[in-house]
Amino acid sequence: MMRNDIRIRAIIWLHFLRLWRYKFSFLNNILTTILWLTIFVLGALMFIPSSKWGEMAPIALWGIIMWQFLSSSVWYIGGWTWFFISQGLVEEHLLTNTSPVPVLVGRAITGLSVTLAASLLVALVFTGLAGASVLIVYNPLIVLVGLVLLATMTISYALLLSAASFRIGIPGTILDIANFISFVLGGLAVPIANLPEQIRPIALAIPYAHPAEIVRYGVRGLEPYLGLANELIISTIFALALALSARIVFKRTMKYIRKHGVKAVGRM
Amino acid sequence: MPSTSIDIIRASVFSTYAWLKNNKWLFFSMLIWPYLMTFLILALGMVYGSLETYRERLGISNPVLYILASSGIVMSSLMIVDVVATSALYHRWLGTLPYLLLTPTKTYKVLILEPVPSAILSSTMSMLAILPGAVFFEGLLGAGKLFLILLVVYLGMLPLIGLSVIIASLTLVLREETNIASFLTPLILLLSGVFYPIQVLPTILQGMSRIFPTLYVVQAAKLTATYTIPEIKALLGLISALIILTLIYNGTASLALGTSERMVKKSGVI
Amino acid sequence: MLVNAIEAKGLVKNYVTWDRRGFFKRKKRIVKALKGVSFNVIRGEVFGLLGPNGAGKTTTVKIITTLLLPDEGKATVMGYDVVSEAEKVREVIGVTLSVEKGFFWKLTGRENLKYFGMLRGLKGRELDRRVEEVLELVGLKELGASDKLYEEYSLGMKARLALARALLHDPPILILDEPTIGLDPMSARTIRELLVKLAREEDKTVLITTHNMFEAELICDHVAIINDGRIVAYGTIGELKRRAADRLAVEMIIAAPHTILGDLEARISKLIGIRELGLEPLEEGRARLRIVVKPGEEEVIIAKSIEAFYSNGIKVYQVRVHEPTLEDVFILLTKGSK
């Protein structure tokens, strides 16, 4: 138990140190994220009459923040796996009886740092566009609960991708497509109630839609599609199921690589 | 015997082919991207507002075709900057950079020409990908318009290559994990007003946008998508701007490359 | 007390690979990496696993270090089974798999060691002390490289750091895959001397893989030669050399311009009827001729050769007969391998 504590401390220390050492990349990533988001958001805003910008801005902003949780988990955890494998670091960690999983999960530190910084800056842009602060929320605790549930899901999903990339090459585009689908159809961008009737069952089947409903309730007080209590239960079940799946799949992957060796196949 | 430009391009075409052959998914994914972007913008926009508002704001006749063409331009510009700007960095990761530099010809020739076939292919693929969309909306006229846009994209590629080489020179000098100037791509696209009129940007940004070639490519696309027959005079103006930028950027690029080559050789970061 | 630190018995390993043929075609191929490898490593010795490229050295090392499961066979390290007691095996081994990777680029040597030390449960003063000790031991401190970023290390420094990490938790067994590959003579010598010192003075068991025969002759107590997935020889250096005791090498320095060497080799073969010979160009229009003969044959062969050379106008400057080296044994045993 004691040893696991030291391991976790080591992993956290490693990722903060790397974050500092790659500071230019870090700043570049924040800037790149903000710019891409602004391009798409400006495009989307062209569909809305200026009089409605104030009303839509917080929903759009929080949708984007939630999407950032998803895409940064995918890219900072899943995408980094190739580097981790190709540099022989999987073997080096296994030799110290350390599973690659916590090291990969630790990349969430980098991903969340970029997400946080980029979100704050995008919030400033939105505040300018909407003419009022978009970061004032209705219930911060509920927002936090929703984001924790979402982060659990996205990190688990990223780990599933990471596990897959030990065995197969995963093209980055496929991940982007999945992310975009989750954004629009998965209820991250808009409340499920605002989606066309036919698409709602799809959104309900996508796990992220549920914490997104919780977050929106916390931000604007919008009643979640299935009610707050139900959404909390469903989100918890989805989060646990995804985390458990990631654990099982990674265990199997570790067995697989012991049988077949570690090969850097999963470039994303 | 010194290597000619043709030798470098031939070798690069071969390596691009071999790479695509062994990474088929990437090849197919190039075709999907513009549709993915169009889907994202349209879906977001239509959930938040209406297509009619978009049509009115931008003053275009076919918003879907326009977004599709803009997505194609975004992707092709992105590919050019990304391929050219990160090519040197990529070769450094692979350890092939010194061997590229050992090609018996001028270094700038190798660094500029080596990524060009891959950049042209990627851009062409991105634009050709939207051909079915163009034909669907406007029949053969749509295909003709697309061809016109493709020509402007090729022309826009010339200054973009110069700009990318300047970025590549910067990244060569610094030791980083990724291309630390990758923010420039979305910046250029943001300033070019790909999915919105640049008038929504602050005046200072509108002024800045004039130095980036993508602005003129986007405007040409807008002209083509807006009118049944694009105004030739307006198009010629845009083409002239692109030619001037080509001269400026490529001139600066050859100077920048020379300087960075000296710095890199001095510090030994190859 | 256990006599053998490492025991491997009948290790078999097959890999599946895909050959790419054309744009869409690919064909499955089974590569038999190990075909029943068995050997023992005695406690406190330096053991060399020798073999040409692709012979199965790294696969063997990966199985012994628990990173790869054998398809068949069994291996134990300090009595622990590498399959069922992998975690215990990892506690008692220090490993270097590659001298040029396996570290974080933007961390210094000291920081990298600290990180991997923490993963092994070291902490506080004990961690700092061990990190300093191993940095000192491998000579990185002396080179002033402890606080340099890993990406700025030379290959020699990287190799030293890899060895330092293997020693960090003071394991009784070191398993090192080609620890001196690509290093300059000075760095290679430092590492070799250190390995011998660790075995002799600290009673550590060292298993190295190498195809540097000179290195193996210098430091190994026992060696096994692996070829095409099988152990083809096992013993002390002396025992292995005796495997080639029916062979002697006759070396002659002759006057032979480089331009005629190809033709000359065939002519000499014909003149003296020897099957195993080699011609190596030297400076000033000379060449070294090497003929492998059976003991007792050497005088006749030398006389015949000199006579043949003089009658063809080829001067002979030097003649030397020597015992087989480990390299001769290695070439003899691995001849014809891929």
PDB file of all heavy atoms in Angstrom, chain C residues 88-99:
ATOM      1  N   LYS C  88       7.860 -11.206  -8.298  1.00  0.00           N
ATOM      2  CA  LYS C  88       9.026 -11.514  -7.457  1.00  0.00           C
ATOM      3  C   LYS C  88      10.301 -11.495  -8.285  1.00  0.00           C
ATOM      4  O   LYS C  88      11.353 -11.053  -7.813  1.00  0.00           O
ATOM      5  CB  LYS C  88       8.831 -12.867  -6.772  1.00  0.00           C
ATOM      6  CG  LYS C  88       7.834 -12.765  -5.631  1.00  0.00           C
ATOM      7  CD  LYS C  88       7.672 -14.068  -4.918  1.00  0.00           C
ATOM      8  CE  LYS C  88       6.719 -13.859  -3.748  1.00  0.00           C
ATOM      9  NZ  LYS C  88       6.090 -15.103  -3.334  1.00  0.00           N
ATOM     10  N   VAL C  89      10.198 -11.999  -9.503  1.00  0.00           N
ATOM     11  CA  VAL C  89      11.385 -11.987 -10.387  1.00  0.00           C
ATOM     12  C   VAL C  89      11.844 -10.540 -10.600  1.00  0.00           C
ATOM     13  O   VAL C  89      13.030 -10.230 -10.508  1.00  0.00           O
ATOM     14  CB  VAL C  89      11.067 -12.663 -11.748  1.00  0.00           C
ATOM     15  CG1 VAL C  89      12.211 -12.459 -12.730  1.00  0.00           C
ATOM     16  CG2 VAL C  89      10.793 -14.144 -11.549  1.00  0.00           C
ATOM     17  N   ARG C  90      10.875  -9.643 -10.845  1.00  0.00           N
ATOM     18  CA  ARG C  90      11.224  -8.245 -11.128  1.00  0.00           C
ATOM     19  C   ARG C  90      11.891  -7.561  -9.939  1.00  0.00           C
ATOM     20  O   ARG C  90      12.608  -6.577 -10.114  1.00  0.00           O
ATOM     21  CB  ARG C  90       9.969  -7.470 -11.538  1.00  0.00           C
ATOM     22  CG  ARG C  90       9.452  -7.890 -12.905  1.00  0.00           C
ATOM     23  CD  ARG C  90       8.071  -7.325 -13.149  1.00  0.00           C
ATOM     24  NE  ARG C  90       7.464  -7.926 -14.328  1.00  0.00           N
ATOM     25  CZ  ARG C  90       6.177  -7.854 -14.602  1.00  0.00           C
ATOM     26  NH1 ARG C  90       5.358  -7.221 -13.789  1.00  0.00           N
ATOM     27  NH2 ARG C  90       5.696  -8.416 -15.692  1.00  0.00           N
ATOM     28  N   GLU C  91      11.607  -8.084  -8.728  1.00  0.00           N
ATOM     29  CA  GLU C  91      12.243  -7.502  -7.530  1.00  0.00           C
ATOM     30  C   GLU C  91      13.738  -7.804  -7.489  1.00  0.00           C
ATOM     31  O   GLU C  91      14.515  -7.039  -6.936  1.00  0.00           O
ATOM     32  CB  GLU C  91      11.606  -8.081  -6.251  1.00  0.00           C
ATOM     33  CG  GLU C  91      10.124  -7.822  -6.078  1.00  0.00           C
ATOM     34  CD  GLU C  91       9.825  -6.418  -5.598  1.00  0.00           C
ATOM     35  OE1 GLU C  91      10.741  -5.756  -5.100  1.00  0.00           O
ATOM     36  OE2 GLU C  91       8.659  -5.976  -5.742  1.00  0.00           O
ATOM     37  N   VAL C  92      14.110  -8.952  -8.071  1.00  0.00           N
ATOM     38  CA  VAL C  92      15.510  -9.389  -7.903  1.00  0.00           C
ATOM     39  C   VAL C  92      16.378  -9.145  -9.135  1.00  0.00           C
ATOM     40  O   VAL C  92      17.546  -9.535  -9.148  1.00  0.00           O
ATOM     41  CB  VAL C  92      15.583 -10.886  -7.506  1.00  0.00           C
ATOM     42  CG1 VAL C  92      14.951 -11.121  -6.156  1.00  0.00           C
ATOM     43  CG2 VAL C  92      14.951 -11.786  -8.570  1.00  0.00           C
ATOM     44  N   ILE C  93      15.780  -8.527 -10.149  1.00  0.00           N
ATOM     45  CA  ILE C  93      16.609  -8.275 -11.336  1.00  0.00           C
ATOM     46  C   ILE C  93      16.730  -6.774 -11.628  1.00  0.00           C
ATOM     47  O   ILE C  93      15.823  -5.993 -11.357  1.00  0.00           O
ATOM     48  CB  ILE C  93      16.051  -8.985 -12.612  1.00  0.00           C
ATOM     49  CG1 ILE C  93      14.587  -8.585 -12.874  1.00  0.00           C
ATOM     50  CG2 ILE C  93      16.203 -10.485 -12.507  1.00  0.00           C
ATOM     51  CD1 ILE C  93      14.025  -9.100 -14.181  1.00  0.00           C
ATOM     52  N   GLY C  94      17.876  -6.422 -12.193  1.00  0.00           N
ATOM     53  CA  GLY C  94      18.073  -5.083 -12.742  1.00  0.00           C
ATOM     54  C   GLY C  94      18.303  -5.296 -14.227  1.00  0.00           C
ATOM     55  O   GLY C  94      19.086  -6.172 -14.609  1.00  0.00           O
ATOM     56  N   VAL C  95      17.607  -4.519 -15.055  1.00  0.00           N
ATOM     57  CA  VAL C  95      17.614  -4.833 -16.489  1.00  0.00           C
ATOM     58  C   VAL C  95      17.947  -3.611 -17.337  1.00  0.00           C
ATOM     59  O   VAL C  95      17.509  -2.502 -17.024  1.00  0.00           O
ATOM     60  CB  VAL C  95      16.210  -5.357 -16.915  1.00  0.00           C
ATOM     61  CG1 VAL C  95      16.184  -5.722 -18.387  1.00  0.00           C
ATOM     62  CG2 VAL C  95      15.786  -6.544 -16.070  1.00  0.00           C
ATOM     63  N   THR C  96      18.737  -3.816 -18.392  1.00  0.00           N
ATOM     64  CA  THR C  96      18.793  -2.789 -19.442  1.00  0.00           C
ATOM     65  C   THR C  96      18.416  -3.481 -20.743  1.00  0.00           C
ATOM     66  O   THR C  96      19.008  -4.486 -21.112  1.00  0.00           O
ATOM     67  CB  THR C  96      20.167  -2.111 -19.616  1.00  0.00           C
ATOM     68  OG1 THR C  96      21.074  -3.044 -20.168  1.00  0.00           O
ATOM     69  CG2 THR C  96      20.721  -1.572 -18.333  1.00  0.00           C
ATOM     70  N   LEU C  97      17.376  -2.926 -21.380  1.00  0.00           N
ATOM     71  CA  LEU C  97      16.896  -3.529 -22.622  1.00  0.00           C
ATOM     72  C   LEU C  97      17.450  -2.809 -23.837  1.00  0.00           C
ATOM     73  O   LEU C  97      17.593  -3.384 -24.900  1.00  0.00           O
ATOM     74  CB  LEU C  97      15.366  -3.462 -22.676  1.00  0.00           C
ATOM     75  CG  LEU C  97      14.640  -4.296 -21.621  1.00  0.00           C
ATOM     76  CD1 LEU C  97      13.174  -3.962 -21.627  1.00  0.00           C
ATOM     77  CD2 LEU C  97      14.840  -5.778 -21.878  1.00  0.00           C
ATOM     78  N   SER C  98      17.716  -1.533 -23.657  1.00  0.00           N
ATOM     79  CA  SER C  98      18.250  -0.758 -24.777  1.00  0.00           C
ATOM     80  C   SER C  98      19.108   0.349 -24.197  1.00  0.00           C
ATOM     81  O   SER C  98      18.743   0.936 -23.180  1.00  0.00           O
ATOM     82  CB  SER C  98      17.098  -0.158 -25.580  1.00  0.00           C
ATOM     83  OG  SER C  98      17.579   0.894 -26.386  1.00  0.00           O
ATOM     84  N   VAL C  99      20.222   0.626 -24.839  1.00  0.00           N
ATOM     85  CA  VAL C  99      21.064   1.690 -24.300  1.00  0.00           C
ATOM     86  C   VAL C  99      20.633   3.058 -24.804  1.00  0.00           C
ATOM     87  O   VAL C  99      21.130   4.073 -24.346  1.00  0.00           O
ATOM     88  CB  VAL C  99      22.571   1.483 -24.601  1.00  0.00           C
ATOM     89  CG1 VAL C  99      23.101   0.295 -23.858  1.00  0.00           C
ATOM     90  CG2 VAL C  99      22.827   1.380 -26.092  1.00  0.00           C
TER      91      VAL C  99
END
